[in-house]
Amino acid sequence: MTTDLEPVPEDWERALIVVAHPDDIEFGSSGAVAAWTAAGKTVHYLILSRGEAGIDSMPPEKAGEVREREQRASAEIVGVADVEFLDYADGSISYSETLRDHIAAAIVRHRPELLVGYNHHDVTFSGKWNTSDHRNVGRATLDAVGVAANRWLGRDPSDGDPSAADGDELLWAGIKHVFMAASPNPTHAVDVTDSLDAAVASVEAHVEYLAGLGLPEGAARFGLEQLTSSVAERFGDRPAVPFECVDV
Ligand SMILES: [Zn+2]
C-alpha cells in the first residue's frame, strides 16, 4: 500500500546536505536543490569523501581530484557555491564518534534549519543492498543533530569553552527538519517541474565519472525522468523527488 507524499516544508532559509560521495546528491536530490536555490534559499554541501574509488579505469589519486572538480561544477549548476569535502576514504567510511562529531561540527558552522542526509537504511530506494558508506554516513548524520545541540558532546577544546557566556555560539540547536534522500520509505517530496533540466545538467557535470560507468548519452535524463515520474503518482501527478522525514 502506498500513501500520498507531503510537500517538504519551506519555512527555512539555510540547508546543509551531508553525503558520502560526489554524485550522491545528483542522482535524485539536485532537482530539489535547484528549486530551493531558485526560491532564494542557501544550500551547503558536506561530502565526506572525494569518491576516489569510483572510476574503475582511473587510480584513486587522480580520480579524487577529478571527482572533486566535477562535484563543484555540478553544485554550481544548481546554485550551490559552498562545497566542503572531508578526507574520509571512499568505500571505507566506518561509523565512529569521530565521524559523527565531524558532521556535528559542520552543522554548527553552517547553522542549517533544514538538514538533509542520505539513505541510512540497509536497502536502497530500488530495494538493492545499500553501501556501508551510505549507511554509516546517514546514521552518523542523524546522530550528529543531538551532538550539535549538546554543550558537552563533540566539542573541540581549541574552539573555546562551551560553558562560557558566549558558549552558545559553539552549538546549533536550530534544525527544524531532517530529511533523508534516496530512502526506501519516502514520506515527503519536492516538486521539480521547473528544475528537472538543471538536475539533469548537474548529473551530466560528472563527465568522467559517467564515462567510467559507460552510460549511453541521455542516461541521466532518462534516469531522472523515471524517478520523478514514479514519485508523481503519489504527489498530485507532479514530477518530484522523494525524501523521508526523520523525527530526530
Ligand atoms: Zn554514494
Side-chain angles (χ1 to χ4, degrees):
M1 192 195 82
T2 55
T3 53
D4 284 348
L5 301 171
E6 297 288 321
V8 169
E10 296 185 359
D11 58 340
W12 54 272
E13 296 303 320
R14 290 181 309 280
L16 176 65
I17 303 185
V18 182
V19 297
H21 313 116
D23 82 56
D24 284 348
I25 296 168
E26 283 67 43
F27 284 105
S29 312
S30 63
V33 174
W36 291 331
T37 59
K41 299 177 185 299
T42 302
V43 179
H44 302 282
Y45 290 173
L46 176 71
I47 303 179
L48 274 295
S49 83
R50 289 180 170 75
E52 66 272 14
I55 302 179
D56 187 55
S57 60
M58 194 181 287
E61 54 277 13
K62 180 165 182 225
E65 281 173 33
V66 167
R67 300 207 67 200
E68 177 177 343
R69 190 173 66 243
E70 292 185 344
Q71 179 65 70
R72 290 188 189 282
S74 171
E76 206 173 307
I77 290 167
V78 293
V80 175
D82 182 34
V83 183
E84 184 180 0
F85 288 88
L86 299 184
D87 285 319
Y88 283 81
D90 183 15
S92 302
I93 307 178
S94 301
Y95 185 97
S96 69
E97 279 73 32
T98 305
L99 172 66
R100 180 199 68 181
D101 293 352
H102 280 155
I103 298 170
I107 290 172
V108 172
R109 276 197 300 283
H110 294 295
R111 305 180 107 62
E113 297 157 297
L114 173 72
L115 179 68
V116 178
Y118 192 88
N119 186 12
H120 57 297
H121 294 293
D122 286 344
V123 296
T124 68
F125 182 71
S126 56
K128 292 181 182 166
W129 183 243
N130 197 7
T131 73
S132 55
D133 280 3
H134 295 160
R135 298 196 307 272
N136 293 333
V137 172
R139 299 179 77 83
T141 301
L142 295 171
D143 291 340
V145 175
V147 172
N150 187 314
R151 188 176 306 280
W152 309 116
L153 288 177
R155 301 292 144 228
D156 185 336
S158 66
D159 289 341
D161 177 2
S163 64
D166 60 355
D168 285 359
E169 290 173 13
L170 303 177
L171 317 177
W172 181 247
I175 294 174
K176 292 180 178 175
H177 311 287
V178 178
F179 284 95
M180 301 304 274
S183 164
N185 311 317
T187 56
H188 289 63
V190 173
D191 186 335
V192 296
T193 305
D194 298 327
S195 57
L196 192 62
D197 288 345
V200 170
S202 79
V203 175
E204 290 178 340
H206 293 273
V207 177
E208 296 204 43
Y209 175 66
L210 293 178
L213 293 177
L215 296 177
E217 200 174 322
R221 179 170 295 279
F222 179 77
L224 282 182
E225 284 182 349
Q226 221 176 21
L227 168 71
T228 57
S229 61
S230 74
V231 176
E233 294 169 14
R234 297 173 60 189
F235 200 60
D237 286 332
R238 291 172 290 162
V241 294
F243 294 91
E244 178 186 356
C245 178
V246 179
D247 191 5
V248 178

